[in-house]
Amino acid sequence: TPTRLIRNFCIIAHIDHGKSTLADQFLLKSGAVSQRDIKAQTLDSMDLERERGITIRMHPVTIFFDHKGEKFELNLIDTPGHVDFNYEVSRSLAACEGAILLVDAFQGVQAQTVANGFLAMEAQLKLVPTLNKIDLPHARPEFVIGEMEQAMLVEDPDEVMKVSARAGLGIEELMGAVIDRVPAPSGAPAEPLKALIYNSHFDTYKGVVVYIRMIDGNLKPGQRIKLMRAGREYVVTEMGQFRPEPTKIDELGAGQVGYFTANIKTIDDVGIGDTVTDAFNPTAEPLAGYKEPKPMVYSGLYPVNNNEFEDLREALQKLKLNDSSFSYVPEVSDGLGFGFRCGFLGMLHREIIQQRLERDSELNLVQTAPNVTYEIKKQNGEVVQVHGPQDVPDGGGIDEFREPIVKISFLIPSTNIGGLMTMCTERRGTFVRTEYLSPQRVILVFEMPLAEVIYDLYDKLKSFTHGYGTMDYEVVGYRAADLVRMDILVHGNRVDALSIIVHRSNADRRGRKVLERLRKEISRHMFEVALQAAIGGKIIARETIAAMKKDVTAKCYGGDISRKRKLWNKQAEGKKRMKAIGQVEVPQEAFLAVLEDD
Ligand code: GTP
């Protein structure tokens, strides 16, 4: 396809505004798939994404569409909607010249609409503002267009396209608008090969499948290519496009989007953002590339049985093959034995990885409380990264203890301003600014420690705004704070897996909460068990578990045998997930006690 007939675009939208449904309609209207084939959103191909109904990874798709007597090639690059995966949004933007900015005609502009809309504008993409769900009886297009104008996402209200992705209304018109408004790629077919790697996945038979956006030149099977940053050379074995099934083609030209394979056996050779060029006729300058996504949340992952450590390592290795944003290093804990400290992009990412591990391997795992990455400036001037409480030096010597700070935007009904202010102040947030989209809806911006955001801020926001509040955040830097490591002692033994890093002003309350939880989770023993919280050797809270009375089934009032059996089974089940701390048996749930906050 000549470049003038190519359009590369993505859809950016807040979660649930209908991105996947719209993408399906594009496939349907262009004849790439039949209604029958669209089972559960073709583009959301990962099972877990489908289960949760959210898009995480980018799935490119190439469709062909006749417009004004010519056949156009449209490359749609999907973008994720969840804030954990924001870096993937910037990646897709770099491969496109335009973006459909999709907004739910009832819900209106949301935090991610604004955030991603601005990202796209910064990347110089042509926006095609579009209202979705106009079939809804309570849709309010005029009001939402007003919000889009107020948020500076739309200049001319007449430019806003209106569709119903579910009912298939206005789809051809929207495809036409994409072709008319989004510029064709500006690549030069005669120049040496230059292509951007924007994603990859590992295939057991073919090796790494590299997703590329062609900039200049062309690519053919048998061509010797060079990955510029990695400095590795390979011979291309196969190439193609996702239509939406991987479809072999014999050439990729300037401006096109597709994939190639080259018997690449290690995924680490393929850097996302790296430039592919011809080994014999290389391009002068590599492309700018991407910022690496940095893990923001860390937690320990331990097999319940120590002899499953190697199995866990293997499972993690496999996972890492298709998810380079996930990281792990071995660590040892007195209480939990051998395990790994794992880095995730956020809490959703962490949950997804845990689920995938549990599903793909038969491992029984204990996961420790999540924490953000801190920085410690020692008195000798050295600055170290702290990925967990165990990295905090024991005996002082700390000059500054720093934590990551985020700029967080909330889009809420104006009636909820008071509630939001209280929540943010309680979480050490500082107010930055307010901006009204309409008398009813307002954007509030705060700066806040990331540690205060990751656990349950989103749930809190959803509950007090009755589902209408949305948020988006980005890390803006590190700031010194009065942080301490709080240790938990079970029967006199420090359980390093239960240590947490907290702000000193919260230590008392958090300590008490953890001990209360622990007391409920740990069963009685033959002896009295003391639970203590301590900072730097100083005890700040204490709870006691009284010694056991004899019969465990005594709790089961009456002689209901099936009930007793249930209890026994439950205990047997629980046994597998117990850890011995000194002489005390601690169930896996107890290690999550430190997660509870109010
Ligand atoms: P993420 O992948 O999580 O970012 O969500 P998404 O933006 O892909 O949303 P999705 O396509 O999964 O749609 C979310 C919900 O809105 C689904 O229940 C759709 O059936 C529904 N929906 C999508 N488009 C329309 C529409 O035009 N009209 C109506 N009434 N519902 C729609």
Side-chain angles (χ1 to χ4, degrees), residues 8-10 23 27 42-45 55 57-63 74-79 88 92 95-96 198-201 209-213 240-247 256-260:
N8 298 318
F9 70 105
C10 56
L27 293 176
T42 322
L43 293 185
D44 283 359
S45 71
T55 311
R57 292 303 195 73
M58 297 180 288
H59 301 276
V61 46
T62 302
I63 51 180
L74 303 182
N75 293 301
L76 166 60
I77 297 180
D78 205 5
T79 60
E88 293 220 18
S92 356
C96 302
Y198 70 89
N199 206 353
S200 68
H201 80 261
V209 180
V210 187
Y211 298 22
I212 51 165
R213 155 70 205 264
Q241 286 185 318
F242 298 98
R243 295 181 178 177
E245 293 309 318
T247 307
Q256 284 187 299
V257 174
Y259 67 87
F260 73 85

Side-chain angles (χ1 to χ4, degrees), residues 78-319:
D78 205 5
T79 60
H82 193 278
V83 59
D84 275 12
F85 302 94
N86 256 353
Y87 74 99
E88 293 220 18
V89 176
S90 323
R91 285 185 181 182
S92 356
L93 296 182
C96 302
E97 280 79 33
I100 294 177
L101 181 70
L102 193 68
V103 182
D104 183 318
F106 168 64
Q107 288 202 342
V109 171
Q110 300 293 334
Q112 246 120 54
T113 319
V114 180
N116 292 342
F118 282 123
L119 274 182
M121 286 195 244
E122 276 166 33
Q124 320 248 299
L125 264 58
K126 174 71 191 173
L127 288 188
V128 182
T130 305
L131 288 185
N132 187 26
K133 311 198 187 180
I134 52 157
D135 60 298
L136 289 175
H138 46 287
R140 32 182 197 170
E142 296 320 312
F143 177 80
V144 175
I145 291 175
E147 284 191 337
M148 291 168 89
E149 281 184 273
Q150 195 61 34
M152 297 196 297
L153 294 167
V154 169
E155 273 171 21
D156 177 1
D158 292 335
E159 280 191 348
V160 180
M161 304 299 292
K162 299 188 181 85
V163 303
S164 165
R166 183 182 280 172
L169 299 173
I171 309 300
E172 282 95 343
E173 288 81 355
L174 178 55
M175 287 166 98
V178 167
I179 292 172
D180 290 338
R181 298 188 203 170
V182 174
S186 60
E191 291 288 306
L193 168 67
K194 187 178 219 168
L196 172 73
I197 301 180
Y198 70 89
N199 206 353
S200 68
H201 80 261
F202 189 78
D203 181 289
T204 325
Y205 303 104
K206 298 177 179 167
V208 183
V209 180
V210 187
Y211 298 22
I212 51 165
R213 155 70 205 264
M214 297 286 292
I215 308 292
D216 297 327
N218 54 20
L219 186 67
K220 291 193 172 129
Q223 190 170 348
R224 192 167 183 85
I225 51 131
K226 183 172 184 176
L227 307 178
M228 291 183 86
R229 204 151 337 127
R232 305 285 303 248
E233 292 186 9
Y234 291 97
V235 174
V236 174
T237 49
E238 181 190 319
M239 67 185 59
Q241 286 185 318
F242 298 98
R243 295 181 178 177
E245 293 309 318
T247 307
K248 268 192 217 178
I249 54 174
D250 47 24
E251 184 176 353
L252 273 171
Q256 284 187 299
V257 174
Y259 67 87
F260 73 85
T261 56
N263 266 318
I264 307 174
K265 293 300 177 202
T266 37
I267 199 141
D268 283 340
D269 280 0
V270 182
I272 308 296
D274 200 350
T275 306
V276 184
T277 193
D278 189 281
F280 302 114
N281 182 21
T283 181
E285 287 283 322
L287 296 157
Y290 298 115
K291 255 200 301 194
E292 268 306 296
K294 272 212 207 90
M296 290 318 291
V297 175
Y298 282 80
S299 66
L301 208 53
Y302 291 84
V304 171
N305 300 320
N306 268 328
N307 54 12
E308 286 179 346
F309 175 76
E310 282 306 324
D311 298 338
L312 177 57
R313 185 201 294 277
E314 229 167 80
L316 291 173
Q317 246 162 11
K318 252 194 222 150
L319 250 176

Side-chain angles (χ1 to χ4, degrees), residues 304 568-579 585-589:
V304 171
W568 286 325
N569 285 343
K570 213 171 145 206
Q571 285 192 333
E573 175 86 351
K575 277 249 166 55
K576 280 189 285 180
R577 299 194 169 219
M578 288 287 190
K579 274 283 172 185
E585 293 265 286
V586 179
Q588 175 193 286
E589 287 71 29

Side-chain angles (χ1 to χ4, degrees), residues 15-16 18-21 41 53-55 132-133 135 164-166:
I15 221 156
D16 274 351
K19 198 169 4 109
S20 311
T21 314
Q41 297 180 351
I54 50 167
T55 311
N132 187 26
K133 311 198 187 180
D135 60 298
S164 165
R166 183 182 280 172

